[in-house]
Amino acid sequence: MEFSCTRQELTEGVSAVLRAVSARPPIPILTGIYMEVQESHLRLLATDMELGIEYTIPIRATQTGTTVVNAKIFSEMVRRLPDGPVTFRVDESHLLKVRFFGSELTLHTMNPLEFPVLPHIVEGQQISFTQGQFKEMTRLIGFAASTDESRPWFTGILWDLQVDHIKWIATDTHRLALLQGHYLEGSIQEERQIILSSKTLIDVARLLHDEESAIELTITKSQVLMETAQMRVILRIIEGQYPKYQQVIPKDYKTRITVKVKALLEAVDRAALASIGKEGSNIIKVTMEGNILTIRSNSPEVGHIHEEVFVDMDGESIPIAFNYRYLQEALKVLSVEDIHIDLTGPLVPGVIRPIGEERYLYLIVPVRTV
Amino acid sequence: MEFSCTRQELTEGVSAVLRAVSARPPIPILTGIYMEVQESHLRLLATDMELGIEYTIPIRATQTGTTVVNAKIFSEMVRRLPDGPVTFRVDESHLLKVRFFGSELTLHTMNPLEFPVLPHIVEGQQISFTQGQFKEMTRLIGFAASTDESRPWFTGILWDLQVDHIKWIATDTHRLALLQGHYLEGSIQEERQIILSSKTLIDVARLLHDEESAIELTITKSQVLMETAQMRVILRIIEGQYPKYQQVIPKDYKTRITVKVKALLEAVDRAALASIGKEGSNIIKVTMEGNILTIRSNSPEVGHIHEEVFVDMDGESIPIAFNYRYLQEALKVLSVEDIHIDLTGPLVPGVIRPIGEERYLYLIVPVRTV
């Protein structure tokens, strides 16, 4: 094989497929990136057997062929290439020669026949989103998933696939985020729920740059294929029983608080100071009276913190306590100015609803304090 | 004590003195920042007994006084303060109340009488630099010092104080950087050599923002006081015998190579690819012929790298090998376009001299290869 292209052309594709290279690959060949040179395109492919990413970039080929290069070494090399055209050639001795003005790098390669083929997905339910919508859904939901691998389903995002809409849900059992979205095209004939790795969905979202274009999904029994113009991602569905999330969302509320996100986030950030230090706690106590919401926290090491935030309150005062992190993380991803916080009782989950964005809700389980 | 100021006013001072707070303070009070409120100024002070930093900022005081606050907690709090005026007050119960619209943070304080007083330095040899020059000297020299604490003198920068000029030198025994500078004001009556912590000099350089203004030095037997308009730094001189650096600098050379810094650095960066992986080596082999300088590196895991760089060569070809890091680090800090590399033999240190900057030299000890 022999082709030429520039560093700029290679960089995006290499960094995309690199996300599918495991730090501890199940078989040695998966330390590599599979390269397939066609007439005018280079197809890059990497997989850890759970996730496969394929990226196609335009090149000028003089000889087609395939090879596998060590992903870490190749990506480090690409980063250091000069501006201008670079020639890549694999000769009979299976060495990859990388040439540009005055320089030649000779890299070892691996046997492309050993590289596992990605499953060929043709049939399945087909839907699509705009890339912008996919990114927004990932941003608003992904952070709420668990990182505890002992219950893998909670590390995922639940896609509740309805005929003409989808719900994205993530929870670590202390809080839950839910966003409803519509398909750009397609619909679901057979309604079902699937769980996908939140880490991978966040990775895929990072690779999307074209807000208006589509990301097309084909959903099979055990896998999801995601396609854009340059990229194909094949992702295994996580097995496991997701809890019935509808049952934990309070149907009603007794007290509705309306507050500015920025003011509340600043107050929570400062209240979090009490979590610094050896004896720090993550608990903030929230009370409200008239137009003032008061946040209190304290630690033997730091001292006391008393924060007041202007709010509108509709209903009676309900003292409640939260782990500040669950509040902070949600407030950070919201792009609206104002939210409702709906409370029912000191031990009933509070629900955040962005004003002007009825498709989203975020639920926090309160902490029992003495 | 009671005063008010804004986050912006406090931030710079707090982050400056924070550099003198040790992660493992010798006595508990040194986890703190000493605050002294005068009529229109707040004096902040921190020390780890080796280094003391004092920073003065303008405030509006209503009651003078002193206190000590935990450095980590206080700096985290300052970072999270809102825009607008903030009031600080220590009451009879020795609690610091921090107040702003609707909020009150109550922090524990420590006894200011326990805080060690910085030595009062009045006599000593006095010289000064512009802050810009001090920063340049630190940038060109600091990186060449050792990080091995078992020989503390090599972790420092040697100041060779001559009557009307100074030399800054650093070495880790594998390479040596030397820069000659002139005093802005003052002169040295009694010529001497002192060693100062390179880490601290780099920290001090980061705190200097006013290129044209002076940094004034008072040098005593065991300490150096550095002063700017806002800041006083007191630094202990490191004890130990520094090697006679003049003896290792080759007086002459056989071959002078002239090369562009950018082209050489890019080639060295790529040659460094061979150091990736378990069996990587840091060695690059350099040869030259005509107008081409060739850099070669290889590792069993990665492959071979062959880089060519255009040079002017005056003298015979001298094959030589270096640890690429020592070359890379020097090329990164240079701000000139072209350098000379002066060689004498395969086992004699090579010397880099920036063209148009005769005050600087950088010496690299070659690696013996088979």
Side-chain angles (χ1 to χ4, degrees):
Chain A
M1 58 168 264
E2 185 171 349
F3 69 94
S4 71
C5 67
T6 65
R7 184 190 68 230
Q8 290 80 350
E9 290 167 326
L10 262 182
T11 300
E12 192 169 309
V14 170
S15 56
V17 299
L18 208 54
R19 292 178 191 267
V21 178
S22 164
R24 282 176 295 278
I27 49 173
I29 190 82
L30 297 185
T31 56
I33 295 174
Y34 180 90
M35 300 170 75
E36 179 183 323
V37 176
Q38 296 158 353
E39 292 242 324
S40 61
H41 287 89
L42 168 66
R43 198 164 67 91
L44 299 170
L45 169 62
T47 179
D48 63 1
M49 304 303 272
E50 292 291 318
L51 162 70
I53 302 180
E54 193 186 290
Y55 205 96
T56 303
I57 55 177
I59 49 146
R60 292 154 292 286
T62 43
Q63 196 189 350
T64 60
T66 56
T67 191
V68 176
V69 289
N70 179 286
K72 189 178 166 203
I73 292 164
F74 191 72
S75 65
E76 282 289 331
M77 186 209 65
V78 168
R79 213 165 55 76
R80 300 173 202 203
L81 290 176
D83 292 337
V86 179
T87 304
F88 298 81
R89 177 162 192 274
V90 175
D91 60 17
E92 303 70 35
S93 56
H94 302 295
L95 291 168
L96 172 66
K97 305 257 186 195
V98 183
R99 285 202 187 88
F100 43 91
F101 161 78
S103 297
E104 182 175 275
L105 286 69
T106 309
L107 303 184
H108 297 305
T109 65
M110 293 178 270
N111 184 354
L113 297 175
E114 284 181 23
F115 205 88
V117 179
L118 285 197
H120 198 60
I121 291 177
V122 281
E123 283 190 32
Q125 308 215 58
Q126 297 196 321
I127 52 169
S128 66
F129 301 110
T130 64
Q131 294 186 16
Q133 190 188 355
F134 188 94
K135 285 166 71 170
E136 188 203 17
M137 293 182 121
T138 313
R139 179 174 60 83
L140 287 171
I141 301 298
F143 73 95
S146 170
T147 51
D148 174 7
E149 299 285 346
S150 70
R151 293 187 294 182
W153 49 94
F154 284 132
T155 66
I157 292 176
L158 181 75
W159 283 6
D160 190 349
L161 295 154
Q162 307 284 323
V163 175
D164 62 349
H165 71 274
I166 186 173
K167 285 188 184 127
W168 289 43
I169 295 108
T171 182
D172 62 1
T173 73
H174 302 293
R175 41 81 185 275
L176 177 148
L178 180 155
L179 180 63
Q180 181 169 320
H182 287 272
Y183 310 128
L184 177 64
E185 289 192 331
S187 65
I188 294 291
Q189 284 78 54
E190 199 181 324
E191 296 192 344
R192 59 190 282 220
Q193 294 191 339
I194 61 173
I195 308 169
L196 297 173
S197 158
S198 63
K199 186 181 160 299
T200 301
L201 293 178
I202 291 169
D203 273 353
V204 171
R206 287 209 185 97
L207 297 171
L208 304 176
H209 300 302
D210 190 356
E211 300 284 315
E212 302 302 320
S213 298
I215 176 165
E216 291 174 6
L217 311 181
T218 307
I219 302 165
T220 72
K221 188 166 174 302
S222 63
Q223 287 174 315
V224 175
L225 167 67
M226 309 188 198
E227 290 177 285
T228 68
Q230 295 82 35
M231 188 168 60
R232 294 176 79 227
V233 177
I234 295 179
L235 177 58
R236 193 187 290 274
I237 292 171
I238 297 175
E239 289 174 22
Q241 189 59 48
Y242 212 80
K244 298 212 185 326
Y245 66 88
Q246 297 91 339
Q247 296 179 354
V248 300
I249 300 169
K251 300 273 174 299
D252 210 348
Y253 62 82
K254 280 195 180 156
T255 300
R256 166 159 281 186
I257 294 158
T258 306
V259 61
K260 295 220 164 295
V261 171
K262 182 168 181 288
L264 183 59
L265 179 56
E266 285 183 6
V268 170
D269 277 351
R270 283 190 295 268
L273 281 170
S275 69
I276 293 181
K278 283 190 291 291
E279 300 163 34
S281 105
N282 286 344
I283 295 172
I284 55 175
K285 295 183 182 179
V286 180
T287 54
M288 51 229 77
E289 202 183 321
N291 284 106
I292 298 291
L293 179 133
T294 302
I295 298 174
R296 285 190 188 81
S297 67
N298 70 79
S299 88
E301 242 177 307
V302 176
H304 308 276
I305 296 163
H306 173 114
E307 290 281 337
E308 295 183 358
V309 184
F310 266 130
V311 297
D312 281 328
M313 180 166 70
D314 181 13
E316 65 190 271
S317 174
I318 297 175
I320 195 164
F322 294 115
N323 180 322
Y324 81 86
R325 286 194 186 277
Y326 297 136
L327 198 50
Q328 195 180 43
E329 289 178 10
L331 295 172
K332 273 186 184 163
V333 300
L334 290 173
S335 51
V336 298
E337 283 200 9
D338 303 277
I339 53 171
H340 294 311
I341 303 177
D342 293 340
L343 301 178
T344 307
L347 298 177
V348 180
V351 179
I352 291 178
R353 297 177 190 273
I355 294 178
E357 179 48 285
E358 280 68 35
R359 302 172 304 141
Y360 185 71
L361 72 79
Y362 181 83
L363 175 153
I364 315 180
V365 177
V367 179
R368 189 188 295 264
T369 58
V370 196
Chain B
M1 56 168 264
E2 185 172 348
F3 68 94
S4 72
C5 68
T6 66
R7 184 190 68 233
Q8 290 80 350
E9 290 167 326
L10 262 181
T11 300
E12 191 170 310
V14 170
S15 56
V17 299
L18 209 53
R19 292 178 190 268
V21 179
S22 164
R24 281 178 296 279
I27 49 173
I29 190 83
L30 297 185
T31 57
I33 296 175
Y34 180 90
M35 301 170 76
E36 179 183 323
V37 176
Q38 295 157 354
E39 292 243 325
S40 61
H41 286 89
L42 168 66
R43 197 165 70 91
L44 298 170
L45 168 62
T47 179
D48 63 2
M49 305 302 272
E50 291 291 317
L51 161 70
I53 302 180
E54 191 187 290
Y55 205 95
T56 304
I57 55 176
I59 49 146
R60 292 154 293 284
T62 43
Q63 196 189 349
T64 60
T66 56
T67 191
V68 176
V69 289
N70 179 286
K72 187 176 169 208
I73 293 165
F74 191 73
S75 65
E76 282 289 331
M77 185 209 65
V78 167
R79 211 165 56 77
R80 300 174 202 203
L81 289 176
D83 292 337
V86 178
T87 304
F88 298 81
R89 178 161 191 274
V90 175
D91 59 17
E92 302 70 37
S93 56
H94 302 295
L95 291 168
L96 173 65
K97 305 260 186 194
V98 183
R99 286 203 186 89
F100 43 92
F101 161 78
S103 298
E104 181 176 276
L105 286 69
T106 309
L107 305 183
H108 296 305
T109 65
M110 293 179 268
N111 184 353
L113 296 175
E114 284 181 21
F115 205 88
V117 179
L118 284 197
H120 199 60
I121 291 178
V122 281
E123 282 189 33
Q125 307 215 59
Q126 298 197 323
I127 53 169
S128 66
F129 301 112
T130 63
Q131 296 185 17
Q133 190 189 356
F134 187 93
K135 284 166 73 170
E136 189 204 18
M137 293 182 121
T138 313
R139 179 174 60 84
L140 288 170
I141 301 298
F143 73 95
S146 169
T147 52
D148 174 6
E149 299 286 346
S150 69
R151 292 187 293 182
W153 49 95
F154 284 133
T155 66
I157 292 177
L158 182 74
W159 283 6
D160 191 350
L161 295 154
Q162 308 284 324
V163 174
D164 62 350
H165 71 275
I166 187 172
K167 285 188 185 125
W168 289 44
I169 294 107
T171 181
D172 63 1
T173 72
H174 302 293
R175 40 80 185 274
L176 177 148
L178 180 154
L179 179 63
Q180 180 169 321
H182 286 271
Y183 311 127
L184 176 65
E185 287 193 331
S187 65
I188 294 291
Q189 283 79 52
E190 198 180 327
E191 296 192 343
R192 60 191 278 220
Q193 296 190 338
I194 62 173
I195 308 170
L196 297 174
S197 158
S198 62
K199 185 180 162 299
T200 300
L201 293 177
I202 290 169
D203 272 353
V204 170
R206 287 209 185 96
L207 297 171
L208 304 177
H209 301 301
D210 190 356
E211 299 286 315
E212 302 302 321
S213 297
I215 176 165
E216 291 175 5
L217 311 180
T218 306
I219 302 165
T220 72
K221 188 166 177 300
S222 63
Q223 288 174 315
V224 175
L225 166 66
M226 310 188 197
E227 290 177 286
T228 68
Q230 294 81 37
M231 189 169 59
R232 295 175 80 224
V233 177
I234 295 180
L235 177 58
R236 194 186 292 273
I237 293 171
I238 297 175
E239 289 174 23
Q241 189 59 45
Y242 212 80
K244 299 215 185 322
Y245 67 88
Q246 298 90 339
Q247 295 180 356
V248 300
I249 300 168
K251 300 274 175 297
D252 210 348
Y253 61 84
K254 279 196 179 154
T255 300
R256 164 159 282 187
I257 294 158
T258 305
V259 61
K260 295 220 165 293
V261 172
K262 182 168 181 289
L264 183 59
L265 179 56
E266 285 182 5
V268 171
D269 277 349
R270 282 190 296 268
L273 281 170
S275 68
I276 292 181
K278 284 190 289 292
E279 299 163 35
S281 104
N282 287 344
I283 294 173
I284 56 176
K285 294 183 182 180
V286 181
T287 56
M288 54 230 76
E289 201 182 321
N291 283 107
I292 299 290
L293 178 130
T294 302
I295 298 175
R296 284 189 188 83
S297 66
N298 71 78
S299 87
E301 243 178 308
V302 177
H304 306 275
I305 296 162
H306 172 114
E307 290 280 338
E308 295 183 356
V309 184
F310 267 130
V311 297
D312 282 329
M313 181 167 69
D314 181 13
E316 66 190 89
S317 174
I318 297 174
I320 194 164
F322 294 115
N323 180 323
Y324 81 86
R325 287 194 186 277
Y326 297 136
L327 199 49
Q328 196 180 41
E329 289 178 10
L331 295 173
K332 273 187 184 163
V333 301
L334 290 173
S335 50
V336 298
E337 284 199 9
D338 303 278
I339 53 170
H340 294 310
I341 303 177
D342 294 339
L343 301 177
T344 307
L347 300 177
V348 181
V351 179
I352 291 178
R353 296 176 191 273
I355 295 178
E357 181 47 285
E358 280 69 35
R359 301 172 304 143
Y360 185 70
L361 72 80
Y362 181 82
L363 175 152
I364 315 181
V365 178
V367 179
R368 188 189 296 263
T369 59
V370 197

